[in-house]
Amino acid sequence: MEQRSEILPGVYLHSVTTGKFKTGCFSINFLRPHGKKEAALNALVPSVLLRGSEHHPDIASISNALDELYGATVGTLVRKKGGVQMTGLYCDYIEDCYVPAGEEIFARAAEFTAELLLSPRLENGAFCSMPVQGEKRNLINAIEGQKNDKRSYLVEQLIAEMFRGEEFGVPRLGEVEDVEAITPESLYAHYRDILASSYVEIFYMGRKTHEEATEIFRAALRTLPRSAPFTSYAVGEIKQKTTDVKTHTINMDVTQGKLAIGLSTGCGVEEAGYPALMLLNVVLGAGITSKLFINVREKRSLCYYVSSSLDKYRGIMLISSGVDFDKLDITREAILQEVDSCRRGEISEEELKNAKHLALTALETMRDAPGRLDDFYLGMAICPKMPGVDALIEEIRTLEIPQLVRAAQKIECDTVFYLRGMDA
Amino acid sequence: MKKTEYPRLQETVFEEVLPNGLNIRVLQKKDFAKKYAFFATNYGSVDTTFEIDGKWMRSPDGVAHYLEHKMFDMPDGSADSVFARNGASPNAFTSYGMTAYYFSCTENFLLNLKTLISFVSTPYFTAESVEKERGIIAQEIRMYEDNAETSVSEKLFNALYEHHPVRVPIAGSVESIGEITPQTLYDCHKAFYDPSNMMLCVAGDVDPEEVVRTARELLPQTSGGVSNRSYGEEEQLDKEPKTVRMQMDISMPTFEVGFRCEAPKKGDDTMKQEIIGDLAAEILVGESSPLYTRLVEQGLINPDFSAGFESVKGVAMLSAGGDSDDPEQVVELILQEAERIGREGFDSDLFRRLKKSAIGRRTRDLDSFESICYRMCAYFFDGVDFLRFPEAYDAVDEQQVQEFLRRVVRRERMALSVIDPIKEDESIVG
């Protein structure tokens, strides 16, 4: 059973009622326009909230309260989807039927999460300065630490370059200089503004009905300030195609070269052609039957990993691989040849069938995976014309090769990033 | 077929042991679209020295992992394409202790199960295909070499032990895999992929009888026996503390400290020691501990920090690690806190809450088919029934945990592995 309704002004609850899990979960997300102005602030707020509240003043007391709830988890959640940044907290906890009778874990977990969210520990009318300093340092480390994972680092650099000068090019967690400028007072003022002025999306999956969950969240969030009109947000335009392909090289002290290729797809998630693009991406670069895996890895032994993915909100495709330094150019060519072969219509019935199986299984098992479902519905909340799980399943079943070829013909290579060694 | 109820977890497991020694377990999960099968052998990267046809053999480092890659080859093509045709996504991994092959699907479950059992029990290697894989695996090894998290653990294991093969990375090295031939792979398959050394675990809305029937039809009737193995001389637990450092292109230092523990005995002791070790780590420096709050408030650790107990065939350790600007200071404070707890004990209420929390989290973990099947196999290879964990927690008391900390968390048991960032910022964007 799935239902969605506005439970408080500007606060929407999407609930999925199911009895098959031992874990119940929910997330409370504040929707903000993503950009330089507030990305770092939005990323910092939830971490500071987890450092202490009025009734649970430090990490140990918060953690002890979670232990008392049979090992419930509360964590921060900062996401970026197109031009929208979502900041908030999630909680997962054991369902009531696995603990001694009479203990209501969900209601207590919701109350506790709301307390962390709405009653932070304060000093002089602002956040306490020590936790803010500590969490600023952690956030800066997290931003700088992105380079530790070379594969995702290169992809992040690629996206930043493709959207240079646009708000979308600002990284999910903001930039170091913006984190440095934050004070306990400025953060607290922004936090109060987020609470009052944002649209809020709550995702809940567990054993309670929509009505029961509504009642529990309404009670937990009774002190949430609300002042309409709420801050608007926009997913943004999709990437336009360019005529010249730009190539950039980053040098680091590494033993393996890497490459990341960014392409414009000419198709956003709310457009009619999106399901075909989604399936084309599977044919090209998702899983072990994809063209990239078979032709670039298996037949030519160039790499261990090579795969493609979509950013459905911004209409881009990202392809990444790790190879020897002297194979970077050959691999780039080999990858782009596979994109070309899709454009020329060289997709077999078997490739179509394999891709359909893979895509359909991923969709059909989404209701077995609360985290994936949460993320999917949050996307639907900001893109109301985006097809739902069942609509996507229906549509993918009917797709034929020519529709995939048309999707491929709109794809254009935009930017290429290489990672090389210091003297390679 | 044996049916076991686990009332505290509200789970039912169907179990059968075939005449060839294969243990099969099925966990029925109604209402899930996903069906999942996991076929594992008690053979990991540390099983490099073994007896075959009466002779002891030392196989090249990284062979279990190499074999895992090549198992997908069949005389009539790759198992991958058969799975793909039937709508399944297969994968595999090799750890220090086991090699496992698995798939998930929503339809054609029995067909896919047949493919899984067939390809894992059919060794087929040619000189050409073995050669071809070398380039792919070399790139995989290079990828791990550039990964600080993997490297810091590998260097720690290397520093903690002198003889045990856990000292060597799971995938071996680019040099060691150069020695692997089709014959090496055939030998290792024969030595360790015997049904009596394996387990098949299934989770999902499936018929247990059909799972058993499928396995019975496809596998040999009898066991061919399993090789004896050796993990080298017994490790000395107390010795000079050791620190190993290296540099990588990372943003801040990352570290892992390990303390050698007595290896658990096969059987119930494995789970007991692990629970004692995990609770000890929580009491000492878990999120609910006073020390954790202190370390965060002093800016010495960040949310990536974690601590726990692990054991692999004959060795065990308590380890803790994460990112820190001053790993030595973190280690000093951990040693001091362990010494204090060893002397003064700890808050009984904290201990009660931590047990409650651990049982709750492990129970919730049973929502993950991957996690259930992996743990059922890992514990089975150690001679324990994983789903008995609530009772095992009940049996652990405060004195055991305090005694563990007193005995294990000492300088003489310790090694520290640190990766520092390269000094000057040499990265250039052009």
Side-chain angles (χ1 to χ4, degrees):
Chain A
M1 259 301 281
E2 299 187 19
Q3 225 172 310
R4 178 182 161 84
S5 67
E6 187 174 5
I7 61 165
L8 289 168
V11 179
Y12 297 85
L13 169 66
H14 188 110
S15 70
V16 181
T17 304
T18 169
K20 67 183 180 183
F21 296 110
K22 292 179 163 58
T23 305
C25 64
F26 61 86
S27 67
I28 304 177
N29 308 278
F30 293 78
L31 274 50
R32 307 296 305 170
H34 178 76
K36 180 125 179 99
K37 200 172 134 218
E38 52 179 274
L41 289 160
N42 293 336
L44 189 59
V45 164
S47 307
V48 171
L49 296 178
L50 292 192
R51 289 294 295 269
S53 69
E54 236 171 84
H55 300 296
H56 299 89
D58 60 15
I59 296 174
S61 60
I62 291 175
S63 189
N64 283 331
L66 292 167
D67 291 337
E68 227 30 298
L69 292 171
Y70 297 87
T73 310
V74 175
T76 64
L77 210 47
V78 179
R79 296 183 261 194
K80 174 174 111 168
K81 294 184 187 300
V84 188
Q85 191 185 22
M86 289 117 170
T87 178
L89 298 175
Y90 74 88
C91 173
D92 47 46
Y93 56 88
I94 196 160
E95 290 281 10
D96 298 351
C97 59
Y98 297 95
V99 301
E103 289 209 58
E104 293 195 5
I105 304 298
F106 169 49
R108 283 166 61 197
E111 273 296 329
F112 178 67
T113 307
E115 196 234 307
L116 296 178
L117 192 64
L118 301 173
S119 312
R121 194 174 131 210
L122 303 178
E123 67 187 12
N124 311 320
F127 285 124
C128 300
S129 87
M130 199 190 66
V132 172
Q133 292 316 321
E135 292 307 322
K136 275 173 68 177
R137 197 169 46 235
N138 287 344
L139 181 56
I140 290 172
N141 287 338
I143 293 170
E144 291 179 340
Q146 282 165 348
K147 81 169 193 179
N148 300 356
D149 181 343
K150 314 295 186 245
R151 179 177 179 174
S152 59
Y153 174 72
L154 196 68
V155 172
E156 281 305 315
Q157 297 305 303
L158 171 75
I159 294 174
E161 183 58 37
M162 285 176 82
F163 293 91
R164 186 163 298 281
E166 292 178 44
E167 299 289 19
F168 184 68
V170 176
R172 178 176 64 94
L173 301 176
E175 281 160 350
V176 171
E177 61 200 38
D178 301 318
V179 181
E180 278 166 350
I182 295 172
T183 64
E185 292 74 25
S186 69
L187 189 68
Y188 186 66
H190 184 70
Y191 156 78
R192 294 300 303 177
D193 181 46
I194 293 181
L195 289 189
S197 76
S198 309
Y199 283 105
V200 180
E201 286 288 334
I202 302 175
F203 174 85
Y204 162 78
M205 191 163 185
R207 296 182 186 228
K208 303 284 182 205
T209 63
H210 189 75
E211 290 67 33
E212 290 165 337
T214 299
E215 203 173 307
I216 284 171
F217 285 117
R218 266 196 196 133
L221 297 172
R222 62 195 172 274
T223 61
L224 176 72
R226 295 277 76 197
S227 74
F230 302 111
T231 309
S232 62
Y233 54 82
V235 177
E237 298 298 312
I238 62 163
K239 177 78 187 165
Q240 297 302 309
K241 70 175 182 187
T242 57
T243 42
D244 56 328
V245 179
K246 295 165 288 296
T247 303
H248 298 264
T249 300
I250 295 177
N251 291 86
M252 288 174 91
D253 191 352
V254 289
T255 60
Q256 184 184 57
K258 295 200 189 309
L259 82 163
I261 305 178
L263 309 98
S264 59
T265 63
C267 176
V269 66
E270 293 184 298
E271 289 173 50
Y274 174 69
L277 174 64
M278 183 181 155
L279 198 56
L280 172 77
N281 176 60
V282 179
V283 168
L284 178 68
I288 52 172
T289 55
S290 67
K291 283 179 179 290
L292 293 179
F293 191 90
I294 288 175
N295 296 326
V296 182
R297 169 177 149 146
E298 295 290 292
K299 290 205 179 136
R300 301 182 63 175
S301 303
L302 282 168
C303 52
Y304 170 67
Y305 73 86
V306 56
S307 63
S308 68
S309 61
L310 296 174
D311 183 322
K312 59 188 179 186
Y313 304 100
R314 296 316 299 266
I316 57 172
M317 177 183 274
L318 302 160
I319 301 177
S320 81
S321 183
V323 298
D324 275 337
F325 300 125
D326 59 0
K327 302 274 174 52
L328 281 164
D329 290 321
I330 307 174
T331 308
R332 168 188 179 153
E333 282 318 306
I335 289 170
L336 292 176
Q337 269 173 27
E338 297 305 320
V339 178
D340 273 338
S341 85
C342 294
R343 279 200 204 105
R344 287 194 302 269
E346 290 164 15
I347 297 172
S348 67
E349 284 295 337
E350 186 174 347
E351 285 174 320
L352 178 74
K353 193 175 150 230
N354 290 342
K356 277 190 183 181
H357 267 310
L358 203 60
L360 290 171
T361 304
L363 288 164
E364 282 161 357
T365 55
M366 204 180 291
R367 291 198 178 91
D368 298 344
R372 276 168 59 210
L373 204 60
D374 172 324
D375 204 59
F376 188 86
Y377 282 122
L378 212 57
M380 280 185 79
I382 59 165
C383 296
K385 281 187 277 174
M386 168 178 154
V389 179
D390 293 328
L392 268 175
I393 290 175
E394 281 304 297
E395 190 144 0
I396 282 180
R397 285 214 172 100
T398 67
L399 286 171
E400 300 289 347
I401 291 169
Q403 291 158 290
L404 273 59
V405 175
R406 274 201 293 282
Q409 285 166 348
K410 288 205 269 178
I411 293 179
E412 295 292 342
C413 185
D414 184 281
T415 306
V416 179
F417 260 74
Y418 288 142
L419 176 67
R420 292 183 188 273
M422 295 311 290
D423 41 34
Chain B
M1 190 161 218
K2 192 172 136 199
K3 183 177 170 188
T4 312
E5 307 272 355
Y6 299 85
R8 282 172 75 171
L9 303 172
Q10 301 177 32
E11 294 287 0
T12 305
V13 172
F14 295 87
E15 181 182 354
E16 179 79 51
V17 185
L18 297 184
N20 62 22
L22 178 71
N23 194 291
I24 303 173
R25 292 197 192 167
V26 179
L27 200 74
Q28 263 185 334
K29 289 275 201 180
K30 299 282 184 195
D31 301 326
F32 283 80
K34 174 165 156 170
K35 300 173 172 71
Y36 182 81
F38 186 92
F39 195 18
T41 166
N42 182 2
Y43 169 53
S45 71
V46 301
D47 297 294
T48 44
T49 304
F50 55 92
E51 202 176 1
I52 188 164
D53 300 330
K55 282 201 302 259
W56 282 89
M57 169 173 169
R58 169 73 168 85
S59 61
D61 293 333
V63 67
H65 172 256
Y66 209 107
L67 180 58
E68 171 229 303
H69 271 237
K70 289 326 291 170
M71 279 316 300
F72 286 84
D73 288 3
M74 296 284 276
D76 51 356
S78 165
D80 286 344
S81 52
V82 186
F83 279 117
R85 257 201 311 281
N86 294 314
S89 317
N91 213 333
F93 69 81
T94 307
S95 65
Y96 289 107
M98 72 156 85
T99 312
Y101 303 82
Y102 54 93
F103 70 84
S104 63
C105 67
T106 53
E107 49 189 29
N108 302 321
F109 174 74
L110 284 179
L111 272 178
N112 288 317
L113 182 65
K114 274 184 189 158
T115 309
L116 176 72
I117 295 171
S118 308
F119 92 82
V120 176
S121 57
T122 310
Y124 173 74
F125 317 110
T126 64
E128 191 201 0
S129 75
V130 170
E131 193 49 49
K132 223 167 162 189
E133 201 69 18
R134 239 182 282 279
I136 296 173
I137 296 178
Q139 288 308 319
E140 188 179 358
I141 292 172
R142 295 282 182 238
M143 180 178 83
Y144 298 137
E145 284 173 356
D146 284 337
N147 182 307
E149 218 172 302
T150 319
S151 296
V152 79
S153 292
E154 288 176 353
K155 302 286 182 231
L156 173 68
F157 295 168
N158 190 277
L160 276 170
Y161 301 105
E162 275 167 47
H163 313 289
H164 196 279
V166 76
R167 301 181 77 237
V168 178
I170 292 168
S173 64
V174 173
E175 292 71 38
S176 74
I177 63 165
E179 301 164 33
I180 293 169
T181 64
Q183 194 53 48
T184 329
L185 300 184
Y186 280 114
D187 287 344
C188 293
H189 189 276
K190 180 168 181 231
F192 296 112
Y193 282 60
D194 187 87
S196 64
N197 192 44
M198 301 179 75
M199 183 181 216
L200 175 66
C201 258
V202 171
D205 193 356
V206 301
D207 177 359
E209 295 287 353
E210 287 190 314
V211 172
V212 171
R213 196 175 320 126
T214 307
R216 201 191 299 271
E217 278 166 14
L218 292 169
L219 290 169
Q221 299 295 308
T222 54
S223 163
V226 186
S227 288
N228 291 314
R229 343 168 173 200
S230 160
Y231 304 110
E233 279 175 50
E234 198 179 329
E235 292 286 342
Q236 200 188 325
L237 294 176
D238 282 16
K239 50 191 179 193
E240 275 292 295
K242 198 167 169 180
T243 299
V244 286
R245 306 191 90 99
M246 64 182 287
Q247 290 193 348
M248 283 176 75
D249 205 337
I250 53 175
S251 59
M252 71 185 285
T254 187
F255 77 100
E256 192 171 350
V257 59
F259 298 91
R260 286 176 294 273
C261 310
E262 289 73 7
K265 291 183 274 296
K266 212 171 157 69
D268 291 345
D269 189 52
T270 309
M271 190 180 273
K272 181 176 158 194
Q273 294 306 326
E274 189 203 296
I275 289 173
I276 293 173
D278 269 336
L279 285 170
E282 290 293 333
I283 292 274
L284 177 64
V285 69
E287 281 185 42
S288 306
S289 69
L291 178 60
Y292 183 91
T293 293
R294 202 143 40 105
L295 290 171
V296 171
E297 288 181 352
Q298 292 178 15
L300 282 167
I301 59 170
N302 64 29
D304 287 337
F305 181 85
S306 67
F309 173 88
E310 55 192 309
S311 73
V312 183
K313 299 178 177 176
V315 289
M317 76 196 82
L318 185 84
S319 67
D323 298 335
S324 176
D325 287 322
D326 193 351
E328 275 83 1
Q329 180 62 12
V330 177
V331 170
E332 250 347 280
L333 292 171
I334 287 176
L335 284 165
Q336 281 173 21
E337 180 70 353
E339 203 260 332
R340 187 192 67 78
I341 293 173
R343 211 174 48 239
E344 300 171 11
F346 45 76
D347 178 9
S348 295
D349 216 33
L350 174 63
F351 183 73
R352 176 192 60 77
R353 279 195 303 264
L354 286 174
K355 261 186 162 181
K356 183 175 174 182
S357 175
I359 295 172
R361 284 181 193 203
R362 286 198 182 212
T363 304
R364 293 208 277 123
D365 259 355
L366 302 178
D367 281 338
S368 157
F369 293 5
E370 290 79 359
S371 166
I372 299 177
C373 291
Y374 167 73
R375 286 172 199 274
M376 287 231 265
C377 286
Y379 284 93
F380 170 71
F381 293 151
D382 284 328
V384 206
D385 178 0
F386 164 57
L387 294 177
R388 293 285 171 218
F389 69 81
E391 291 78 15
Y393 267 98
D394 291 347
V396 168
D397 64 34
E398 288 173 48
Q399 282 66 42
Q400 290 166 322
V401 174
Q402 187 182 6
E403 193 275 326
F404 177 93
L405 284 170
R406 201 162 26 211
R407 176 164 46 90
V408 171
V409 186
R410 289 184 291 121
R411 231 172 273 280
E412 295 76 20
R413 293 284 185 101
M414 185 184 104
L416 169 65
S417 165
V418 181
I419 301 183
D420 292 304
I422 294 168
K423 292 278 162 14
E424 62 277 55
D425 189 2
E426 291 169 335
S427 309
I428 324 156
V429 179

